[in-house]
Amino acid sequence: MTQYVDRDYLKIVGNVPPEVLDQFEAQYPGRIDAVIEAVCRVVDGRLAKRYATPFEHTAKKPAPEAIRMHVAALVSHQLRIMIGFDPGSQQDQLLVAAKDEAWAYIKEAADSKEGLVELPLREPLPGEKDKSGVKKGGPLSSSNASPYAWADQQRQRVRRSR
């Protein structure tokens, strides 16, 4: 499956220090990749009703940076749970806040009625415009100048279908 982040990206953008990640990977090989995969699938599950998931993610066509950044925050939180929190650390409180913000963003992107976030299918290449990634949607209603216009339109559709 598609992983939106890797260990190198997590070291750069994530909220766990790189040396802690290296030590954790040495102690528990493969566990970071498993957490990344699990978080990516949970995010895909949340977004699947509105977007065609998983997002395409290759070197030439990267997934939207907003998804990658928020997945990194969620993975960092999960890893910090495994590594252990420092009860007196204010940084750990910031990590929990980043996780909450990431989930709020994902939920906002998944909400087709009142959500304010719309994700592209992939990060645009240089000189390219964003293309919406919404796979389902459209107007929930329409309006006509005349209260009888809908009946005229329906009659025309029926006549055309014969």
Side-chain angles (χ1 to χ4, degrees), residues 10-151:
L10 200 58
K11 288 177 185 178
I12 295 168
V13 177
N15 300 322
V16 179
E19 57 276 0
V20 174
L21 290 175
D22 289 337
Q23 183 182 2
F24 184 76
E25 180 62 27
Q27 194 171 1
Y28 304 103
R31 205 155 179 199
I32 292 175
D33 291 332
V35 171
I36 291 171
E37 181 69 30
V39 169
C40 288
R41 297 301 66 82
V42 170
V43 168
D44 284 346
R46 173 64 80 164
L47 296 173
K49 286 189 176 182
R50 188 168 184 211
Y51 297 95
T53 58
F55 291 94
E56 182 179 356
H57 181 66
T58 62
K60 291 185 178 183
K61 297 179 181 180
E65 188 62 28
I67 291 293
R68 298 182 74 210
M69 184 186 88
H70 288 94
V71 165
L74 296 170
V75 168
S76 296
H77 182 263
Q78 283 301 117
L79 290 174
R80 187 46 98 175
I81 289 172
M82 293 175 182
I83 295 166
F85 283 97
D86 179 5
S89 172
Q90 212 167 17
Q91 183 180 7
D92 287 345
Q93 293 172 358
L94 294 173
L95 200 119
V96 172
K99 182 258 312 176
D100 293 341
E101 182 182 322
W103 272 125
Y105 185 91
I106 298 296
K107 288 177 183 176
E108 186 86 15
D111 186 353
S112 62
K113 286 189 179 185
E114 297 182 24
L116 300 175
V117 176
E118 184 174 312
L119 299 168
L121 282 173
R122 60 177 170 77
E123 238 358 76
L125 299 172
E128 197 177 50
K129 288 180 68 177
D130 284 351
K131 295 178 183 173
S132 174
V134 176
K135 71 172 184 170
K136 299 176 185 172
L140 298 176
S141 64
S142 63
S143 63
N144 297 309
S146 163
Y148 306 106
W150 68 270

